[in-house]
């Protein structure tokens, strides 16, 4: 259970296979928010296969057994720091934002990273996403502005 401003119990827990449709839908909402809907091509079947193979894990936040937020992550490695947790996507349904749900998810993620021996937690945030940047800065995160992303799509 996490503290929130909703007056309802928000449960944060490790995601199960049956949570994947809700997680996939939340990523779709995030893609819409980021104006990148066309780039969101991973299917629910992709999520199900990759989750079963242990490629990623997630925490979900739920109220009355409805998933209202999630943090999807995986273990990565920093050659400079060692084991790290990579936060791939972090989203709370719009109607539940600013009520403490995201903080509960983020706190749970940090606790998990520390408990599993991670030396670092990293993620990306869009330069125009001021609410997210403020949230991360409130949590004493360093927002790097001197590294550029590289990628190759297949």
């Amino acid at each position: 259970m996490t503290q929130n401003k909703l007056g309802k119990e928000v449960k944060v827990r490790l995601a199960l296979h049956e949570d994947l449709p809700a997680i996939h839908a939340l990523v779709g909402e995030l893609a819409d928010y980021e104006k990148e809907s066309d780039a969101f091509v991973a299917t629910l079947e992709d999520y199900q296969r990759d989750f079963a193979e242990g490629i990623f894990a997630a925490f979900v936040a739920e109220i009355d057994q409805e998933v209202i937020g999630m943090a999807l992550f995986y273990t990565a490695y920093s050659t400079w720091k060692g084991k790290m947790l990579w936060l791939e996507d972090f989203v709370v349904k719009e109607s539940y934002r600013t009520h403490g749900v995201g903080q509960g998810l983020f706190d749970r993620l940090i606790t998990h990273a520390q408990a599993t021996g991670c030396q670092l937690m990293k993620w990306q945030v869009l330069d125009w996403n001021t609410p997210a940047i403020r949230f991360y800065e409130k949590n004493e995160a360093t927002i790097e502005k001197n590294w550029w992303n590289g990628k190759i799509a297949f």
Side-chain angles (χ1 to χ4, degrees):
M1 185 172 60
T2 182
Q3 294 293 329
N4 64 75
K5 302 172 191 170
L6 295 167
K8 292 185 175 186
E9 179 182 342
V10 178
K11 183 178 180 184
V12 176
R13 61 170 175 78
L14 202 54
L16 304 172
H17 187 268
E18 50 267 22
D19 297 315
L20 293 173
I23 290 169
H24 189 264
L26 283 166
V27 174
E29 286 184 31
L30 180 62
D32 289 343
Y33 177 76
E34 293 180 348
K35 299 168 184 61
E36 291 286 344
S37 296
D38 292 343
F40 179 43
V41 297
T43 66
L44 177 57
E45 291 75 24
D46 293 330
Y47 276 44
Q48 291 167 332
R49 178 195 63 236
D50 297 339
F51 184 82
E53 291 179 11
I55 293 173
F56 71 88
F59 286 106
V60 294
E62 62 181 13
I63 292 178
D64 299 328
Q65 299 180 327
E66 175 195 0
V67 174
I68 60 166
M70 68 90 191
L72 190 145
F73 63 93
Y74 52 89
T75 302
Y77 196 81
S78 165
T79 56
W80 291 11
K81 301 290 183 185
K83 183 179 178 182
M84 74 173 182
L85 186 140
W86 181 266
L87 173 57
E88 181 63 27
D89 276 329
F90 176 41
V91 62
V92 173
K93 285 185 177 183
E94 189 172 4
S95 59
Y96 292 98
R97 292 181 193 154
T98 72
H99 295 287
V101 176
Q103 190 64 59
L105 272 167
F106 200 69
D107 291 347
R108 182 65 183 93
L109 196 61
I110 290 170
T111 299
H112 175 76
Q114 292 169 332
T116 57
C118 291
Q119 303 300 311
L120 178 68
M121 186 168 89
K122 287 185 82 169
W123 61 91
Q124 295 173 314
V125 61
L126 290 167
D127 59 358
W128 57 261
N129 192 346
T130 306
I133 293 168
R134 284 188 190 132
F135 174 84
Y136 295 131
E137 288 176 340
K138 177 185 82 164
N139 281 277
E140 300 181 5
T142 300
I143 305 299
E144 298 173 337
K145 296 178 180 146
N146 55 338
W147 289 85
W148 292 44
N149 294 316
K151 67 180 177 181
I152 299 173
F154 300 107

